[in-house]
Amino acid sequence: MAFRRGNRIELKTPQQFLAMRQAGLVVAHTLEHVRQVAAAGMTTADIDGIARARLRDAGATSSFLGYHGYPATICVSVNEEVVHGIPGRRPLHDGDLVSVDFGAIIDGWHADAAISFGIGTLDDTSRRLVDVTERALWAGLAKAIVGNRLSDISHAVETCVRADGAWHVIEDYVGHGIGSAMHMEPPVPNYGAPGKGPELRVGMALAIEPMVTVGTIDTRVLEDDWTVVTEDDSRAAHWEHTVCITPEGPWVTTAIDGGVARLAALGVTVPTRD
Ligand code: MF3
Ligand code: CO
């Protein structure tokens, strides 16, 4: 049975994981579609409209719309924007680094994911930033295994980023538990020593979401009260997946293949489920 009291971590049943997977697939396919159609000349509001239509067609509802008053279905964060960019009239340009964050609810169960990609051609540094942030996410997902401790995930994310070069891992914003609500216990930092925090158990689900910058880790929030930007206007990337901790290993609900291919490349074998 799921619970949500105090600071305990909600445990899901296999049936509840299936509902989370349905929400995850809506998110995965929508983000893939957005990545394919996003182009110079479109506005960030256009991207929001695409995601909203997909959500409606799938019979799902938005995790974001109305969350603490958030006014849209997705967050679109461009270049120096780190997270929580509100879609609007801003047109996308060739060379922009775009992060799209999107959450869906099916039968009361949430999925939350984010991707970063370029419009047209990205400069070399931005491309490497996007790549290392995604690889760091997968390094963390590969540690979402029964018996590991929470900070084993955090440590794997940070280690992957640091091994690649002089990037900076955001500390002001972290990942989170997820299930019957979008944001639940426990917080999931993208940095820290391994072997600490709660032991990972079957039934837990986490949203792991590294945010990495070219320059400073210092951030500020714009006057819209949402958009988080880097203090030094350096570019940032953001990748996120929702992962269920199962007896057979990590089940990445927001990856179209459940994470099978990327996890296998990291030496973690998981069953193909749908
Ligand atoms: N998806 C974001 C996260 O990962 C939350 C978006 S904030 C919202 O935590 F207000 F837009 F919902
Ligand atoms: Co999240």
PDB file of all heavy atoms in Angstrom, residues 83-119:
ATOM      1  N   VAL A  83      16.348  25.784 -15.316  1.00  0.00           N
ATOM      2  CA  VAL A  83      15.086  25.035 -15.217  1.00  0.00           C
ATOM      3  C   VAL A  83      13.927  26.019 -15.037  1.00  0.00           C
ATOM      4  O   VAL A  83      14.136  27.201 -14.773  1.00  0.00           O
ATOM      5  CB  VAL A  83      15.070  24.047 -14.014  1.00  0.00           C
ATOM      6  CG1 VAL A  83      15.926  22.813 -14.285  1.00  0.00           C
ATOM      7  CG2 VAL A  83      15.465  24.734 -12.716  1.00  0.00           C
ATOM      8  N   HIS A  84      12.698  25.488 -15.167  1.00  0.00           N
ATOM      9  CA  HIS A  84      11.453  26.185 -14.829  1.00  0.00           C
ATOM     10  C   HIS A  84      11.164  27.396 -15.705  1.00  0.00           C
ATOM     11  O   HIS A  84      10.440  28.313 -15.289  1.00  0.00           O
ATOM     12  CB  HIS A  84      11.430  26.595 -13.339  1.00  0.00           C
ATOM     13  CG  HIS A  84      11.612  25.432 -12.403  1.00  0.00           C
ATOM     14  ND1 HIS A  84      11.859  25.590 -11.052  1.00  0.00           N
ATOM     15  CD2 HIS A  84      11.595  24.093 -12.621  1.00  0.00           C
ATOM     16  CE1 HIS A  84      11.980  24.393 -10.493  1.00  0.00           C
ATOM     17  NE2 HIS A  84      11.828  23.471 -11.420  1.00  0.00           N
ATOM     18  N   GLY A  85      11.720  27.404 -16.940  1.00  0.00           N
ATOM     19  CA  GLY A  85      11.377  28.471 -17.873  1.00  0.00           C
ATOM     20  C   GLY A  85       9.913  28.348 -18.289  1.00  0.00           C
ATOM     21  O   GLY A  85       9.449  27.263 -18.644  1.00  0.00           O
ATOM     22  N   ILE A  86       9.179  29.457 -18.225  1.00  0.00           N
ATOM     23  CA  ILE A  86       7.759  29.453 -18.591  1.00  0.00           C
ATOM     24  C   ILE A  86       7.641  29.664 -20.103  1.00  0.00           C
ATOM     25  O   ILE A  86       8.209  30.622 -20.638  1.00  0.00           O
ATOM     26  CB  ILE A  86       6.998  30.574 -17.857  1.00  0.00           C
ATOM     27  CG1 ILE A  86       7.130  30.418 -16.336  1.00  0.00           C
ATOM     28  CG2 ILE A  86       5.529  30.581 -18.268  1.00  0.00           C
ATOM     29  CD1 ILE A  86       6.476  31.542 -15.546  1.00  0.00           C
ATOM     30  N   PRO A  87       6.906  28.799 -20.803  1.00  0.00           N
ATOM     31  CA  PRO A  87       6.727  28.990 -22.241  1.00  0.00           C
ATOM     32  C   PRO A  87       6.067  30.336 -22.541  1.00  0.00           C
ATOM     33  O   PRO A  87       5.196  30.782 -21.791  1.00  0.00           O
ATOM     34  CB  PRO A  87       5.803  27.834 -22.641  1.00  0.00           C
ATOM     35  CG  PRO A  87       5.945  26.823 -21.555  1.00  0.00           C
ATOM     36  CD  PRO A  87       6.230  27.594 -20.309  1.00  0.00           C
ATOM     37  N   GLY A  88       6.494  30.947 -23.639  1.00  0.00           N
ATOM     38  CA  GLY A  88       5.950  32.258 -23.996  1.00  0.00           C
ATOM     39  C   GLY A  88       6.289  32.600 -25.427  1.00  0.00           C
ATOM     40  O   GLY A  88       6.460  31.706 -26.268  1.00  0.00           O
ATOM     41  N   ARG A  89       6.431  33.888 -25.693  1.00  0.00           N
ATOM     42  CA  ARG A  89       6.603  34.342 -27.076  1.00  0.00           C
ATOM     43  C   ARG A  89       8.045  34.278 -27.566  1.00  0.00           C
ATOM     44  O   ARG A  89       8.322  34.651 -28.709  1.00  0.00           O
ATOM     45  CB  ARG A  89       6.067  35.762 -27.209  1.00  0.00           C
ATOM     46  CG  ARG A  89       4.530  35.802 -27.176  1.00  0.00           C
ATOM     47  CD  ARG A  89       4.016  37.105 -27.737  1.00  0.00           C
ATOM     48  NE  ARG A  89       4.385  38.222 -26.856  1.00  0.00           N
ATOM     49  CZ  ARG A  89       3.561  38.755 -25.949  1.00  0.00           C
ATOM     50  NH1 ARG A  89       2.330  38.311 -25.836  1.00  0.00           N
ATOM     51  NH2 ARG A  89       3.961  39.734 -25.171  1.00  0.00           N
ATOM     52  N   ARG A  90       8.965  33.822 -26.704  1.00  0.00           N
ATOM     53  CA  ARG A  90      10.370  33.764 -27.111  1.00  0.00           C
ATOM     54  C   ARG A  90      10.551  32.821 -28.305  1.00  0.00           C
ATOM     55  O   ARG A  90      10.225  31.645 -28.221  1.00  0.00           O
ATOM     56  CB  ARG A  90      11.215  33.258 -25.930  1.00  0.00           C
ATOM     57  CG  ARG A  90      12.692  33.133 -26.259  1.00  0.00           C
ATOM     58  CD  ARG A  90      13.501  32.685 -25.035  1.00  0.00           C
ATOM     59  NE  ARG A  90      14.921  32.672 -25.320  1.00  0.00           N
ATOM     60  CZ  ARG A  90      15.865  32.759 -24.385  1.00  0.00           C
ATOM     61  NH1 ARG A  90      15.531  32.888 -23.109  1.00  0.00           N
ATOM     62  NH2 ARG A  90      17.134  32.733 -24.712  1.00  0.00           N
ATOM     63  N   PRO A  91      11.075  33.331 -29.419  1.00  0.00           N
ATOM     64  CA  PRO A  91      11.328  32.436 -30.552  1.00  0.00           C
ATOM     65  C   PRO A  91      12.645  31.687 -30.367  1.00  0.00           C
ATOM     66  O   PRO A  91      13.592  32.225 -29.791  1.00  0.00           O
ATOM     67  CB  PRO A  91      11.409  33.390 -31.746  1.00  0.00           C
ATOM     68  CG  PRO A  91      11.690  34.740 -31.189  1.00  0.00           C
ATOM     69  CD  PRO A  91      11.418  34.737 -29.715  1.00  0.00           C
ATOM     70  N   LEU A  92      12.677  30.479 -30.876  1.00  0.00           N
ATOM     71  CA  LEU A  92      13.905  29.688 -30.821  1.00  0.00           C
ATOM     72  C   LEU A  92      14.772  30.026 -32.026  1.00  0.00           C
ATOM     73  O   LEU A  92      14.271  30.245 -33.124  1.00  0.00           O
ATOM     74  CB  LEU A  92      13.551  28.200 -30.810  1.00  0.00           C
ATOM     75  CG  LEU A  92      12.724  27.761 -29.591  1.00  0.00           C
ATOM     76  CD1 LEU A  92      12.299  26.312 -29.730  1.00  0.00           C
ATOM     77  CD2 LEU A  92      13.504  27.984 -28.298  1.00  0.00           C
ATOM     78  N   HIS A  93      16.090  30.061 -31.780  1.00  0.00           N
ATOM     79  CA  HIS A  93      17.050  30.394 -32.832  1.00  0.00           C
ATOM     80  C   HIS A  93      18.011  29.241 -33.058  1.00  0.00           C
ATOM     81  O   HIS A  93      18.265  28.448 -32.140  1.00  0.00           O
ATOM     82  CB  HIS A  93      17.856  31.637 -32.438  1.00  0.00           C
ATOM     83  CG  HIS A  93      17.018  32.869 -32.271  1.00  0.00           C
ATOM     84  ND1 HIS A  93      16.398  33.484 -33.329  1.00  0.00           N
ATOM     85  CD2 HIS A  93      16.696  33.583 -31.169  1.00  0.00           C
ATOM     86  CE1 HIS A  93      15.722  34.537 -32.887  1.00  0.00           C
ATOM     87  NE2 HIS A  93      15.882  34.616 -31.577  1.00  0.00           N
ATOM     88  N   ASP A  94      18.570  29.211 -34.265  1.00  0.00           N
ATOM     89  CA  ASP A  94      19.607  28.226 -34.555  1.00  0.00           C
ATOM     90  C   ASP A  94      20.728  28.365 -33.523  1.00  0.00           C
ATOM     91  O   ASP A  94      21.142  29.478 -33.207  1.00  0.00           O
ATOM     92  CB  ASP A  94      20.157  28.467 -35.964  1.00  0.00           C
ATOM     93  CG  ASP A  94      21.052  27.346 -36.413  1.00  0.00           C
ATOM     94  OD1 ASP A  94      20.620  26.176 -36.362  1.00  0.00           O
ATOM     95  OD2 ASP A  94      22.207  27.625 -36.786  1.00  0.00           O
ATOM     96  N   GLY A  95      21.167  27.229 -32.967  1.00  0.00           N
ATOM     97  CA  GLY A  95      22.250  27.252 -31.986  1.00  0.00           C
ATOM     98  C   GLY A  95      21.783  27.336 -30.541  1.00  0.00           C
ATOM     99  O   GLY A  95      22.604  27.220 -29.626  1.00  0.00           O
ATOM    100  N   ASP A  96      20.476  27.554 -30.323  1.00  0.00           N
ATOM    101  CA  ASP A  96      19.964  27.580 -28.944  1.00  0.00           C
ATOM    102  C   ASP A  96      20.056  26.199 -28.306  1.00  0.00           C
ATOM    103  O   ASP A  96      19.817  25.186 -28.962  1.00  0.00           O
ATOM    104  CB  ASP A  96      18.488  28.018 -28.919  1.00  0.00           C
ATOM    105  CG  ASP A  96      18.301  29.526 -28.988  1.00  0.00           C
ATOM    106  OD1 ASP A  96      19.304  30.261 -28.842  1.00  0.00           O
ATOM    107  OD2 ASP A  96      17.147  29.966 -29.183  1.00  0.00           O
ATOM    108  N   LEU A  97      20.372  26.210 -27.013  1.00  0.00           N
ATOM    109  CA  LEU A  97      20.346  24.978 -26.216  1.00  0.00           C
ATOM    110  C   LEU A  97      19.031  24.996 -25.431  1.00  0.00           C
ATOM    111  O   LEU A  97      18.810  25.876 -24.604  1.00  0.00           O
ATOM    112  CB  LEU A  97      21.547  24.954 -25.261  1.00  0.00           C
ATOM    113  CG  LEU A  97      21.903  23.658 -24.532  1.00  0.00           C
ATOM    114  CD1 LEU A  97      23.158  23.863 -23.693  1.00  0.00           C
ATOM    115  CD2 LEU A  97      20.796  23.112 -23.671  1.00  0.00           C
ATOM    116  N   VAL A  98      18.176  24.030 -25.711  1.00  0.00           N
ATOM    117  CA  VAL A  98      16.828  24.028 -25.137  1.00  0.00           C
ATOM    118  C   VAL A  98      16.659  22.837 -24.206  1.00  0.00           C
ATOM    119  O   VAL A  98      16.996  21.704 -24.576  1.00  0.00           O
ATOM    120  CB  VAL A  98      15.766  23.936 -26.260  1.00  0.00           C
ATOM    121  CG1 VAL A  98      14.362  23.933 -25.684  1.00  0.00           C
ATOM    122  CG2 VAL A  98      15.934  25.077 -27.239  1.00  0.00           C
ATOM    123  N   SER A  99      16.132  23.084 -23.000  1.00  0.00           N
ATOM    124  CA  SER A  99      15.755  21.999 -22.094  1.00  0.00           C
ATOM    125  C   SER A  99      14.248  22.015 -21.932  1.00  0.00           C
ATOM    126  O   SER A  99      13.662  23.064 -21.651  1.00  0.00           O
ATOM    127  CB  SER A  99      16.419  22.167 -20.724  1.00  0.00           C
ATOM    128  OG  SER A  99      17.826  22.211 -20.860  1.00  0.00           O
ATOM    129  N   VAL A 100      13.633  20.863 -22.166  1.00  0.00           N
ATOM    130  CA  VAL A 100      12.180  20.730 -22.030  1.00  0.00           C
ATOM    131  C   VAL A 100      11.892  19.732 -20.922  1.00  0.00           C
ATOM    132  O   VAL A 100      12.397  18.606 -20.939  1.00  0.00           O
ATOM    133  CB  VAL A 100      11.530  20.258 -23.349  1.00  0.00           C
ATOM    134  CG1 VAL A 100      10.027  20.084 -23.161  1.00  0.00           C
ATOM    135  CG2 VAL A 100      11.813  21.246 -24.466  1.00  0.00           C
ATOM    136  N   ASP A 101      11.103  20.160 -19.946  1.00  0.00           N
ATOM    137  CA  ASP A 101      10.768  19.367 -18.757  1.00  0.00           C
ATOM    138  C   ASP A 101       9.258  19.154 -18.782  1.00  0.00           C
ATOM    139  O   ASP A 101       8.498  20.095 -19.051  1.00  0.00           O
ATOM    140  CB  ASP A 101      11.206  20.170 -17.524  1.00  0.00           C
ATOM    141  CG  ASP A 101      11.174  19.369 -16.237  1.00  0.00           C
ATOM    142  OD1 ASP A 101      10.566  18.296 -16.197  1.00  0.00           O
ATOM    143  OD2 ASP A 101      11.766  19.869 -15.251  1.00  0.00           O
ATOM    144  N   PHE A 102       8.813  17.918 -18.532  1.00  0.00           N
ATOM    145  CA  PHE A 102       7.416  17.581 -18.781  1.00  0.00           C
ATOM    146  C   PHE A 102       6.977  16.473 -17.829  1.00  0.00           C
ATOM    147  O   PHE A 102       7.705  15.506 -17.626  1.00  0.00           O
ATOM    148  CB  PHE A 102       7.300  17.104 -20.238  1.00  0.00           C
ATOM    149  CG  PHE A 102       5.934  16.692 -20.681  1.00  0.00           C
ATOM    150  CD1 PHE A 102       4.843  17.528 -20.514  1.00  0.00           C
ATOM    151  CD2 PHE A 102       5.736  15.469 -21.290  1.00  0.00           C
ATOM    152  CE1 PHE A 102       3.580  17.147 -20.953  1.00  0.00           C
ATOM    153  CE2 PHE A 102       4.477  15.077 -21.737  1.00  0.00           C
ATOM    154  CZ  PHE A 102       3.396  15.928 -21.558  1.00  0.00           C
ATOM    155  N   GLY A 103       5.782  16.627 -17.253  1.00  0.00           N
ATOM    156  CA  GLY A 103       5.268  15.605 -16.345  1.00  0.00           C
ATOM    157  C   GLY A 103       3.822  15.262 -16.665  1.00  0.00           C
ATOM    158  O   GLY A 103       3.042  16.123 -17.055  1.00  0.00           O
ATOM    159  N   ALA A 104       3.466  13.972 -16.510  1.00  0.00           N
ATOM    160  CA  ALA A 104       2.112  13.502 -16.810  1.00  0.00           C
ATOM    161  C   ALA A 104       1.581  12.649 -15.667  1.00  0.00           C
ATOM    162  O   ALA A 104       2.352  12.005 -14.941  1.00  0.00           O
ATOM    163  CB  ALA A 104       2.115  12.674 -18.100  1.00  0.00           C
ATOM    164  N   ILE A 105       0.250  12.652 -15.548  1.00  0.00           N
ATOM    165  CA  ILE A 105      -0.421  11.854 -14.527  1.00  0.00           C
ATOM    166  C   ILE A 105      -1.405  10.910 -15.215  1.00  0.00           C
ATOM    167  O   ILE A 105      -2.209  11.347 -16.048  1.00  0.00           O
ATOM    168  CB  ILE A 105      -1.233  12.735 -13.559  1.00  0.00           C
ATOM    169  CG1 ILE A 105      -0.390  13.900 -13.029  1.00  0.00           C
ATOM    170  CG2 ILE A 105      -1.801  11.901 -12.408  1.00  0.00           C
ATOM    171  CD1 ILE A 105      -1.204  14.933 -12.234  1.00  0.00           C
ATOM    172  N   ILE A 106      -1.346   9.620 -14.873  1.00  0.00           N
ATOM    173  CA  ILE A 106      -2.371   8.653 -15.304  1.00  0.00           C
ATOM    174  C   ILE A 106      -2.853   7.914 -14.060  1.00  0.00           C
ATOM    175  O   ILE A 106      -2.027   7.389 -13.292  1.00  0.00           O
ATOM    176  CB  ILE A 106      -1.822   7.682 -16.367  1.00  0.00           C
ATOM    177  CG1 ILE A 106      -1.645   8.447 -17.694  1.00  0.00           C
ATOM    178  CG2 ILE A 106      -2.773   6.484 -16.549  1.00  0.00           C
ATOM    179  CD1 ILE A 106      -1.374   7.591 -18.896  1.00  0.00           C
ATOM    180  N   ASP A 107      -4.182   7.889 -13.880  1.00  0.00           N
ATOM    181  CA  ASP A 107      -4.784   7.229 -12.712  1.00  0.00           C
ATOM    182  C   ASP A 107      -4.157   7.703 -11.403  1.00  0.00           C
ATOM    183  O   ASP A 107      -4.012   6.917 -10.462  1.00  0.00           O
ATOM    184  CB  ASP A 107      -4.643   5.695 -12.812  1.00  0.00           C
ATOM    185  CG  ASP A 107      -5.490   5.113 -13.938  1.00  0.00           C
ATOM    186  OD1 ASP A 107      -6.464   5.779 -14.355  1.00  0.00           O
ATOM    187  OD2 ASP A 107      -5.167   4.001 -14.392  1.00  0.00           O
ATOM    188  N   GLY A 108      -3.736   8.964 -11.364  1.00  0.00           N
ATOM    189  CA  GLY A 108      -3.179   9.519 -10.130  1.00  0.00           C
ATOM    190  C   GLY A 108      -1.684   9.290  -9.957  1.00  0.00           C
ATOM    191  O   GLY A 108      -1.111   9.713  -8.949  1.00  0.00           O
ATOM    192  N   TRP A 109      -1.040   8.625 -10.931  1.00  0.00           N
ATOM    193  CA  TRP A 109       0.395   8.313 -10.807  1.00  0.00           C
ATOM    194  C   TRP A 109       1.218   9.142 -11.783  1.00  0.00           C
ATOM    195  O   TRP A 109       0.866   9.292 -12.949  1.00  0.00           O
ATOM    196  CB  TRP A 109       0.622   6.807 -10.989  1.00  0.00           C
ATOM    197  CG  TRP A 109      -0.041   6.079  -9.865  1.00  0.00           C
ATOM    198  CD1 TRP A 109      -1.308   5.564  -9.868  1.00  0.00           C
ATOM    199  CD2 TRP A 109       0.471   5.893  -8.550  1.00  0.00           C
ATOM    200  NE1 TRP A 109      -1.600   5.050  -8.633  1.00  0.00           N
ATOM    201  CE2 TRP A 109      -0.527   5.234  -7.796  1.00  0.00           C
ATOM    202  CE3 TRP A 109       1.692   6.213  -7.921  1.00  0.00           C
ATOM    203  CZ2 TRP A 109      -0.356   4.885  -6.455  1.00  0.00           C
ATOM    204  CZ3 TRP A 109       1.865   5.860  -6.589  1.00  0.00           C
ATOM    205  CH2 TRP A 109       0.856   5.200  -5.874  1.00  0.00           C
ATOM    206  N   HIS A 110       2.337   9.656 -11.287  1.00  0.00           N
ATOM    207  CA  HIS A 110       3.114  10.672 -12.009  1.00  0.00           C
ATOM    208  C   HIS A 110       4.343  10.110 -12.722  1.00  0.00           C
ATOM    209  O   HIS A 110       4.943   9.122 -12.276  1.00  0.00           O
ATOM    210  CB  HIS A 110       3.619  11.730 -11.026  1.00  0.00           C
ATOM    211  CG  HIS A 110       2.557  12.618 -10.483  1.00  0.00           C
ATOM    212  ND1 HIS A 110       2.454  13.945 -10.818  1.00  0.00           N
ATOM    213  CD2 HIS A 110       1.537  12.363  -9.625  1.00  0.00           C
ATOM    214  CE1 HIS A 110       1.419  14.482 -10.177  1.00  0.00           C
ATOM    215  NE2 HIS A 110       0.846  13.547  -9.444  1.00  0.00           N
ATOM    216  N   ALA A 111       4.729  10.807 -13.797  1.00  0.00           N
ATOM    217  CA  ALA A 111       6.027  10.611 -14.449  1.00  0.00           C
ATOM    218  C   ALA A 111       6.588  11.989 -14.753  1.00  0.00           C
ATOM    219  O   ALA A 111       5.835  12.909 -15.077  1.00  0.00           O
ATOM    220  CB  ALA A 111       5.870   9.815 -15.733  1.00  0.00           C
ATOM    221  N   ASP A 112       7.893  12.141 -14.654  1.00  0.00           N
ATOM    222  CA  ASP A 112       8.544  13.445 -14.785  1.00  0.00           C
ATOM    223  C   ASP A 112       9.872  13.217 -15.496  1.00  0.00           C
ATOM    224  O   ASP A 112      10.656  12.357 -15.085  1.00  0.00           O
ATOM    225  CB  ASP A 112       8.758  13.993 -13.360  1.00  0.00           C
ATOM    226  CG  ASP A 112       9.356  15.384 -13.296  1.00  0.00           C
ATOM    227  OD1 ASP A 112       9.449  16.057 -14.338  1.00  0.00           O
ATOM    228  OD2 ASP A 112       9.714  15.803 -12.168  1.00  0.00           O
ATOM    229  N   ALA A 113      10.106  13.952 -16.586  1.00  0.00           N
ATOM    230  CA  ALA A 113      11.366  13.777 -17.315  1.00  0.00           C
ATOM    231  C   ALA A 113      11.735  15.074 -18.015  1.00  0.00           C
ATOM    232  O   ALA A 113      10.877  15.939 -18.247  1.00  0.00           O
ATOM    233  CB  ALA A 113      11.257  12.649 -18.342  1.00  0.00           C
ATOM    234  N   ALA A 114      13.002  15.199 -18.352  1.00  0.00           N
ATOM    235  CA  ALA A 114      13.475  16.371 -19.091  1.00  0.00           C
ATOM    236  C   ALA A 114      14.569  15.952 -20.060  1.00  0.00           C
ATOM    237  O   ALA A 114      15.329  15.017 -19.794  1.00  0.00           O
ATOM    238  CB  ALA A 114      14.010  17.429 -18.123  1.00  0.00           C
ATOM    239  N   ILE A 115      14.601  16.659 -21.196  1.00  0.00           N
ATOM    240  CA  ILE A 115      15.667  16.443 -22.181  1.00  0.00           C
ATOM    241  C   ILE A 115      16.282  17.797 -22.537  1.00  0.00           C
ATOM    242  O   ILE A 115      15.642  18.839 -22.404  1.00  0.00           O
ATOM    243  CB  ILE A 115      15.149  15.778 -23.475  1.00  0.00           C
ATOM    244  CG1 ILE A 115      14.074  16.649 -24.152  1.00  0.00           C
ATOM    245  CG2 ILE A 115      14.575  14.387 -23.178  1.00  0.00           C
ATOM    246  CD1 ILE A 115      13.645  16.130 -25.531  1.00  0.00           C
ATOM    247  N   SER A 116      17.527  17.762 -22.984  1.00  0.00           N
ATOM    248  CA  SER A 116      18.178  18.959 -23.523  1.00  0.00           C
ATOM    249  C   SER A 116      18.650  18.640 -24.931  1.00  0.00           C
ATOM    250  O   SER A 116      19.106  17.525 -25.199  1.00  0.00           O
ATOM    251  CB  SER A 116      19.371  19.377 -22.657  1.00  0.00           C
ATOM    252  OG  SER A 116      18.956  19.883 -21.406  1.00  0.00           O
ATOM    253  N   PHE A 117      18.537  19.615 -25.811  1.00  0.00           N
ATOM    254  CA  PHE A 117      18.952  19.403 -27.208  1.00  0.00           C
ATOM    255  C   PHE A 117      19.192  20.755 -27.862  1.00  0.00           C
ATOM    256  O   PHE A 117      18.836  21.808 -27.309  1.00  0.00           O
ATOM    257  CB  PHE A 117      17.884  18.606 -27.977  1.00  0.00           C
ATOM    258  CG  PHE A 117      16.522  19.253 -27.992  1.00  0.00           C
ATOM    259  CD1 PHE A 117      16.171  20.118 -29.014  1.00  0.00           C
ATOM    260  CD2 PHE A 117      15.605  19.023 -26.970  1.00  0.00           C
ATOM    261  CE1 PHE A 117      14.924  20.734 -29.028  1.00  0.00           C
ATOM    262  CE2 PHE A 117      14.357  19.643 -26.972  1.00  0.00           C
ATOM    263  CZ  PHE A 117      14.019  20.495 -28.007  1.00  0.00           C
ATOM    264  N   GLY A 118      19.770  20.716 -29.055  1.00  0.00           N
ATOM    265  CA  GLY A 118      20.059  21.954 -29.768  1.00  0.00           C
ATOM    266  C   GLY A 118      19.035  22.225 -30.848  1.00  0.00           C
ATOM    267  O   GLY A 118      18.446  21.311 -31.416  1.00  0.00           O
ATOM    268  N   ILE A 119      18.839  23.513 -31.128  1.00  0.00           N
ATOM    269  CA  ILE A 119      18.075  23.922 -32.312  1.00  0.00           C
ATOM    270  C   ILE A 119      19.107  24.104 -33.429  1.00  0.00           C
ATOM    271  O   ILE A 119      20.044  24.896 -33.271  1.00  0.00           O
ATOM    272  CB  ILE A 119      17.324  25.245 -32.054  1.00  0.00           C
ATOM    273  CG1 ILE A 119      16.381  25.133 -30.864  1.00  0.00           C
ATOM    274  CG2 ILE A 119      16.599  25.700 -33.323  1.00  0.00           C
ATOM    275  CD1 ILE A 119      15.248  24.144 -31.046  1.00  0.00           C
TER     276      ILE A 119
END
